């Protein structure tokens, strides 16, 4: 007899005060201007985008549940209350070249993978462009959206991590959660603190390097499970591109054979993980 999934009453809430205290005691205490935790919202990304023009830089919003969460290409991202980390961050990038801006979600993927490795003890890998996998199954996703352009672009980066979902609660068969993957740590407060700290470390280093991508690209390639795989990229208009994923170019595009595809052009990327 299958055990029914726990309801939200039996899942502890994220401890906002502990999270803020932990960040204040880290090496990046001054990085985040404001960290908010709300019980419910439509979309944390949409909330930060709506207030980006007047909001402080490096603001963080976390929701215990989202009613209209979304991923790339307007796909829905759903989760039971308190079973996931649904988090968005607002950052501004003064002086960055437009063609380099596409590295921000890839940097976030590196930060998420490293945080899950360090805190949850799982072998997190990246699927290009910015899904995080454990054992070939998706545990987290990232959605970056430009909130304001110009000389100092403002971007909202959304991160969704499946933490406590049971097998019955997974939205798709190829998903997983930290709990299902046997993670050493599933306390959402500690995982969220690790995610934010690692993002702050990566972002600060990138900014201090004047947005140079050499070190970031090397870190991404090292963690990318897509490289070397036979892949099939589904493109707009029903077109497909198949071949071996041979590399990541200077702008973060995936090289399939001798062809480069950008994240915005690929509807689905399939490989035998």
């Amino acid at each position: 007899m299958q055990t029914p999934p726990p309801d939200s009453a039996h899942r502890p809430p994220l401890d906002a005060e502990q999270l803020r205290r932990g960040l204040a005691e880290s090496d990046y205490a001054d990085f985040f201007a404001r960290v908010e935790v709300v019980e419910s919202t439509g979309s944390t990304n949409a909330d930060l985008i709506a207030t980006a023009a007047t909001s402080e830089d490096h603001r963080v919003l976390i929701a215990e549940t989202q009613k209209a969460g979304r991923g790339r290409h307007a796909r829905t991202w759903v989760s039971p209350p308190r079973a996931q980390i649904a988090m968005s961050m607002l950052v501004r990038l003064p002086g960055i070249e437009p063609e380099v801006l596409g590295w921000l979600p890839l940097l976030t993927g590196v930060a998420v993978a490293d945080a899950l490795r360090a805190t949850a003890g799982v072998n997190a890998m990246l699927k290009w462009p910015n899904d995080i996998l454990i054992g070939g199954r998706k545990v987290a996703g990232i959605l970056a959206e430009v909130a304001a352009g110009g000389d100092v672009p403002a971007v909202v980066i959304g991160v969704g991590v499946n933490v406590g979902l049971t097998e019955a609660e997974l939205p798709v068969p190829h998903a997983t959660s930290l709990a299902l993957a046997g993670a050493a740590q599933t306390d959402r407060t500690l995982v969220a603190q690790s995610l934010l700290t690692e993002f702050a470390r990566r972002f600060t280093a990138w900014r201090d390097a004047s947005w140079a991508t050499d070190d970031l690209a090397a870190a991404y390639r090292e963690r990318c499970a897509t490289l070397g795989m036979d892949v099939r990229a589904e493109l707009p208009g029903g077109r497909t591109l198949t071949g071996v994923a041979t590399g990541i170019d200077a702008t973060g595009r995936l090289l399939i054979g001798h062809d480069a595809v950008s994240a915005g052009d690929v509807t689905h990327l399939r490989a035998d993980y």
Side-chain angles (χ1 to χ4, degrees):
M1 182 174 179
Q2 187 176 18
T3 303
D7 58 40
S8 59
H10 295 93
R11 286 177 161 136
L14 196 146
D15 189 329
E17 288 306 315
Q18 179 185 336
L19 175 59
R20 296 187 191 103
R21 187 167 58 251
L23 292 172
E25 294 170 353
S26 74
D27 293 337
Y28 300 94
D30 298 328
F31 186 86
F32 296 106
R34 188 180 359 157
V35 178
E36 302 169 89
V37 178
V38 298
E39 188 63 33
S40 176
T41 192
S43 160
T44 54
N45 261 34
D47 289 351
L48 290 192
I49 290 171
T51 59
T54 57
S55 182
E56 61 269 67
D57 199 5
H58 298 182
R59 178 185 171 191
V60 178
L61 178 63
I62 304 174
E64 296 285 27
T65 187
Q66 293 185 108
K67 298 178 181 177
R70 62 190 191 278
R72 295 178 62 242
H73 299 290
R75 300 184 188 112
T76 57
W77 182 279
V78 297
S79 175
R82 300 179 180 177
Q84 182 187 71
I85 295 171
M87 173 172 65
S88 295
M89 302 169 283
L90 171 66
V91 295
R92 292 180 172 86
L93 301 92
I96 195 169
E97 297 295 331
E99 62 270 18
V100 180
L101 196 57
W103 275 100
L104 179 59
L106 277 65
L107 174 147
T108 308
V110 172
V112 172
D114 284 0
L116 295 183
R117 289 180 179 188
T119 302
V122 293
N123 185 26
M125 298 292 290
L126 297 169
K127 174 189 173 185
W128 183 89
N130 44 31
D131 286 347
I132 292 85
L133 310 177
I134 301 174
R137 300 173 72 180
K138 181 175 177 178
V139 72
I142 295 160
L143 176 65
E145 299 180 280
V146 176
D151 294 336
V152 184
V155 182
V156 172
I157 313 109
V159 178
V161 182
N162 294 332
V163 179
L165 277 76
T166 65
E167 197 78 42
E169 294 174 312
L170 295 175
V172 290
H174 58 270
T176 190
S177 68
L178 293 180
L180 289 172
Q185 181 60 262
T186 58
D187 183 317
R188 291 184 308 125
T189 301
L190 296 178
V191 174
Q193 179 184 327
S194 182
L195 295 173
L196 290 170
T197 302
E198 188 59 30
F199 175 82
R201 186 179 77 81
R202 286 279 176 187
F203 187 90
T204 298
W206 191 33
R207 181 197 63 202
D208 292 350
S210 301
W211 314 118
T213 60
D214 290 350
D215 290 345
L216 172 57
Y220 185 88
R221 294 183 185 112
E222 183 182 341
R223 294 156 179 77
C224 185
T226 306
L227 298 183
M229 302 288 288
D230 287 310
V231 299
R232 173 187 173 93
E234 298 180 12
L235 307 171
R239 296 179 297 124
T240 61
L241 180 63
T242 60
V244 176
T246 56
I248 308 292
D249 74 5
T251 60
R253 296 180 302 174
L254 180 68
L255 301 176
I256 303 176
H258 298 293
D259 296 301
V261 294
S262 67
D265 290 336
V266 175
T267 307
H268 289 282
L269 183 74
R270 305 188 187 280
D272 185 12
Y273 289 99

